[in-house]
Amino acid sequence: MQTVLITGAASGIGLDTARLFADAGWQCVLVDYNEQALRRLGQELPAPAGAAHVLQAIDLTDPGQIARLVDATPALDAILNNAGMSDASNTPLAEQGAAQMGRLLALNLQAPAAVVDACARRLKPGARIVNVASGAGLHAIPWRGAYSPSKAGLIAQTQALAQARTDLCATVLAPGFVRTALVNGLIQAGRLDPQAAVAKIPMGRMAAPAEMAQALFFLADPGAQPLSGQVLAVNGGSSIYGGTQPFPPAALEPLPLDMPLQMEVLGADAASWQASASAPSDQSAYPACLDLSPLWCEPGRVMQEVHAAAARFAARYTQCASLTVLLPLRKAARWQDAGDGAAARMLVSTFACEWGGRALRINALEVRQDVDPASLHPLLRYVCGAGAQFLTGQTLVCQGPP
Ligand code: NAI
């Protein structure tokens, strides 16, 4: 049996995440200061065979309460530091006192480290630590107090943890807009205009909490190891968009997140890259294409290969499908070729912006040319599959612990 500790489990992203893990047979240590909601959740979740879920009603802004967390905590395969708060007060930063900023920083930035410290003795070898930051940690969002600084700090802290503890796998999930109590609160407080927010998202919609749960479920898996130290930005393309044209609201409903994957592999050595069994012919499946051709191309030709792969894909798939391209993780031998990799990555992001309205996704994995394909199968199943329908325009560097 595998065990996960989830903070902020009583609502929003944490709630859907707890349900997903419990349904998959994991034992959950559920942490939240909303005791009533926590108890309701504990009663609702299916219990794992031969064990019970553990409920911990504590305030994560209090280091003393976090330190006592370890007492009832069993050995852990993964910690998901998900609890977080925004600042809907509309108080300009310069007018905020230490107390107002302090509570937010205590929860968003200090608590994740304190939870890892408190549970250090309980971590199994190779355990996964996942910190939930935000797109707000990548770009400054004004009028939300110290929210953006706290999330930028959390990203840097996670990367430092990945370097300090190469025996663990430490990653960051940076969600875009997700329709949860946190976002509804900002909308009600007049701090967020949902139409204006969606107009900046190439996929033309916000995410459902269940989509973040899928990302967290993957990042809690040993198969996330190649991403240790990385940020997984699941935001419908909002973090890669730099244009000014508003995107229309999505016309296509997302497909079921647990849909089987129908994966086509193009390029040399295709069989060893096939990461999923074919979906049964009587079931509808989520179509995905993995194109290996840029991986082994001549230096200086990666961007052209990505363009050719994308053009092939666009000619065959019209909507609701994913393309994943593999890029070589190598340093250019000649300075004249040094722009090629960056151009290829930006091409991926640009295609994602143009295709988002049709729910056509494109992402890249940067891998060593001698990588063992099997080591990337769990990552490929997630990135290519229906569970990652809000992930687009990203290049993930797969190099294992930094
Ligand atoms: P939410 O407000 O729906 O849920 C947060 C949970 O944390 C609640 O159950 C709450 O009771 C708990 N919590 C809050 N303060 C606590 C404390 N001091 N001690 C213990 N528990 C506490 O939030 P949501 O939207 O599910 O967000 C989860 C994480 O995702 C947060 O870290 C948030 O910053 C991040 N995020 C959310 C986005 C969104 O659009 N909803 C976008 C980007 C990041």
Side-chain angles (χ1 to χ4, degrees), residues 303-324:
M303 187 190 141
Q304 277 90 341
E305 286 294 339
V306 170
H307 187 268
R312 273 193 296 275
F313 176 79
R316 297 182 49 206
Y317 297 89
T318 51
Q319 62 181 50
C320 300
S322 75
L323 169 64
T324 305

Side-chain angles (χ1 to χ4, degrees), residues 21-291:
F21 277 85
D23 286 345
W26 286 56
Q27 181 190 27
C28 299
V29 180
L30 305 165
V31 183
D32 205 291
Y33 70 172
N34 186 340
E35 193 169 352
Q36 262 194 340
L38 205 55
R39 284 197 194 294
R40 271 200 305 275
L41 178 61
Q43 281 158 7
E44 169 208 310
L45 294 181
H53 299 301
V54 179
L55 307 183
Q56 294 270 20
I58 64 165
D59 185 338
L60 288 160
T61 61
D62 177 353
Q65 293 188 42
I66 295 178
R68 290 195 293 277
L69 199 58
V70 68
D71 297 339
T73 299
L76 293 171
D77 295 274
I79 292 178
L80 309 182
N81 279 308
N82 161 72
M85 63 185 285
S86 186
D87 180 341
S89 70
N90 200 22
T91 312
L93 264 171
E95 291 168 24
Q96 296 215 2
Q100 190 169 358
M101 291 213 310
R103 188 168 166 78
L104 186 146
L105 291 170
L107 181 65
N108 290 8
L109 183 54
Q110 284 136 22
V115 169
V116 173
D117 277 343
C119 298
R121 285 184 285 133
R122 299 282 192 262
L123 293 176
K124 294 185 192 169
R128 279 75 64 199
I129 312 295
V130 190
N131 290 331
V132 180
S134 168
L138 305 170
H139 301 286
I141 305 200
W143 319 117
R144 286 226 228 143
Y147 187 68
S148 272
S150 73
K151 295 298 189 178
L154 184 59
I155 292 170
Q157 183 199 96
T158 317
Q159 289 170 333
L161 172 64
Q163 276 176 354
R165 293 289 308 268
T166 50
D167 56 320
L168 302 174
C169 170
T171 54
V172 183
L173 173 66
F177 285 113
V178 188
R179 281 308 288 246
T180 64
L182 187 146
V183 162
N184 288 335
L186 289 169
I187 293 171
Q188 274 154 22
R191 305 304 325 136
L192 179 66
D193 173 354
Q195 268 106 36
V198 161
K200 291 182 185 162
I201 304 173
M203 295 195 87
R205 65 178 178 92
M206 292 190 186
E211 296 184 279
M212 297 306 132
Q214 292 281 333
L216 290 168
F217 193 73
F218 161 65
L219 292 172
D221 186 270
Q225 183 63 33
L227 295 187
S228 192
Q230 301 277 313
V231 179
L232 182 67
V234 183
N235 55 30
S238 57
S239 63
I240 44 116
Y241 179 53
T244 52
Q245 275 174 302
F247 290 102
L252 298 163
E253 284 293 317
L255 298 170
L257 300 178
D258 58 357
M259 217 174 186
L261 173 62
Q262 191 69 54
M263 193 168 162
E264 171 189 40
V265 184
L266 301 179
D269 191 23
S272 58
W273 287 93
Q274 183 55 253
S276 72
S278 325
S281 53
D282 59 341
Q283 265 183 34
S284 53
Y286 182 79
C289 176
L290 172 66
D291 201 314

